[in-house]
């Protein structure tokens, strides 16, 4: 067993607490990764708040260095990797290069591992839950599978690499892989958090002429403008939908990160005929949609998971975009030492920063 430090949710509804844990060795195609940096995502916060199979370690935006491999692993010791969502590799969706829609995605990513002799993580000698998104990277070490550990061709700052595994991949991918706006199209992003701001960057990369960001937080609107938004709207000051329609007459594409029913209704309302609404948020699990408007205008409402990406190819593409200056990841990231996990978690819950990233002692703080 390897000793490590992890943020563990011990009690229902409680925040994670740093404590000592132990990890077993990697088996099969698994790799043991020293976590050099890990982002905190809204999904971590929301799932941790309602998870009941405890104790449990969350975290799904890990970046680090492979230190040990299982006998069937395709990675090598010393590889720098970004950890991302898990997929089975053998279902029809995985075989069609759509692993985000893996038939076993819920079991592999959201339920947590069994608490038995197969458990990766142990606390005081007893097995605890892990395997969140196939990694549970709120820990100084994590075990992942070969499919959800993406080797990077060249070194990159781990703090900037970490959000590529989920937030950045989701936002940029939803634009480039799904909405695919043309230069003369207008695109609206509702919610300028890490995913929404990544979508803004994706729209700029795509060459989209009109990029509108809608968010009530002034700092995020300012950052959206810095990252490529041509218009930033405060929905608490004006009617966002009316403003968008006044500016554009109707847009080709909308990306919603909020999943709020009122925002979804506004998103439908600003689309031009045959436009597309991409849903990437899980703020509300259900919402009414204006069916008559969707049918009458021939709209497409499209759920998007992890940017519709195949991470083994898309994450290296994102790294290349960053190297070329087209994806300024440093604008999103606020760094925290791993031993200040509580402070970073509070910042994530309160939306004080866009993307809190924890840095372990391996690469300094």
């Amino acid at each position: 067993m390897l000793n490590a430090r992890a943020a563990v949710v011990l009690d229902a509804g409680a925040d994670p607490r740093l404590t000592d844990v132990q990890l077993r060795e990697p088996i099969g195609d698994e790799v043991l990764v020293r976590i050099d940096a890990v982002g905190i995502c809204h999904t971590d916060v929301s799932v941790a708040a309602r998870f009941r199979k405890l104790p449990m370690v969350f975290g799904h935006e890990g970046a680090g260095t492979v230190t040990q491999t299982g006998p069937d692993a395709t990675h090598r010791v010393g590889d720098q990797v970004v950890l991302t969502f898990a997929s089975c590799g053998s279902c029809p969706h995985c075989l069609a290069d759509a692993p985000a829609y893996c038939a076993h995605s819920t079991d592999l990513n959201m339920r947590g591992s069994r608490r038995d002799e197969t458990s990766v993580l142990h606390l005081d000698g007893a097995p605890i839950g892990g395997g969140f998104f196939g990694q549970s990277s709120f820990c100084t070490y994590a075990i992942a599978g070969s499919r959800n550990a993406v080797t990077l061709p060249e070194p990159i700052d781990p703090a900037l690499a970490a959000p590529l595994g989920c937030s950045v991949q989701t936002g940029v991918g939803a634009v480039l892989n799904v909405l695919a706006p043309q230069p003369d199209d207008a695109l609206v992003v509702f919610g300028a958090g890490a995913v929404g701001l990544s979508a803004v960057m994706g729209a700029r990369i795509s060459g989209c002429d009109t990029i509108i960001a809608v968010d009530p937080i002034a700092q995020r609107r300012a950052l959206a403008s810095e990252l490529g938004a041509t218009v930033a709207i405060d929905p608490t000051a004006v009617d966002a939908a009316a403003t968008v329609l006044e500016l554009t007459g109707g847009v080709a594409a909308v990306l919603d990160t909020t999943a709020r029913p009122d925002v979804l209704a506004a998103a439908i309302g600003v689309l031009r005929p045959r436009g597309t609404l991409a849903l990437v948020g899980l703020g509300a699990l259900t919402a009414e949609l204006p069916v008559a408007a969707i049918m009458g205008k021939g709209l497409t409402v499209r759920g998007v998971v992890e940017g519709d990406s195949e991470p083994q190819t898309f994450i290296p593409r994102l790294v290349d975009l960053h190297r070329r200056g087209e994806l300024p990841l440093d604008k999103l990231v606020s760094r925290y030492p791993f031993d200040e996990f509580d402070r970073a978690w509070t910042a994530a819950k309160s939306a004080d920063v866009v993307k809190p990233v924890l840095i372990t002692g391996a690469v300094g703080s």
Side-chain angles (χ1 to χ4, degrees), residues 15 29 96 196 214 264 285 302 330:
D15 290 342
D29 76 337
V214 182
L264 295 177
L285 298 181
R302 172 75 146 76
D330 54 296

Side-chain angles (χ1 to χ4, degrees), residues 188-194 196-197 212-222 224 231-238 240 257-258 260 263 351 354:
V188 180
V189 177
F190 284 95
L197 290 169
I212 302 172
V214 182
D215 196 280
I217 301 175
Q219 297 93 324
R220 297 194 175 192
R221 294 196 303 275
V231 179
I233 297 173
D234 178 0
T236 66
V238 299
T257 71
T258 71
R260 287 178 40 177
V263 176
V354 172

Side-chain angles (χ1 to χ4, degrees), residues 334-338 340 343-344 347 353 355-360 365:
S334 297
R335 301 167 190 249
Y336 296 81
F338 191 74
E340 294 184 16
R343 189 163 68 91
V353 300
K355 173 56 62 177
V357 175
L358 297 150
I359 312 297
T360 73
S365 60

Side-chain angles (χ1 to χ4, degrees), residues 135-228:
Q135 53 181 285
S136 284
S137 49
F138 286 160
C139 189
T140 51
Y141 283 85
I143 283 182
S146 291
R147 285 184 59 80
N148 70 309
V150 179
T151 301
L152 302 184
E154 297 179 39
I156 180 176
D157 181 346
L160 304 184
L164 299 178
C166 185
S167 300
V168 176
Q169 174 173 244
T170 297
V172 177
V175 174
L176 298 186
N177 299 334
V178 177
L179 294 173
Q182 299 301 304
D184 58 349
D185 285 339
L187 181 147
V188 180
V189 177
F190 284 95
V195 174
L197 290 169
S198 296
V200 167
M201 291 189 285
R204 183 184 49 75
I205 291 166
S206 74
C208 189
D209 283 342
T210 304
I211 306 167
I212 302 172
V214 182
D215 196 280
I217 301 175
Q219 297 93 324
R220 297 194 175 192
R221 294 196 303 275
L223 184 52
S225 297
E226 184 178 348
L227 294 174

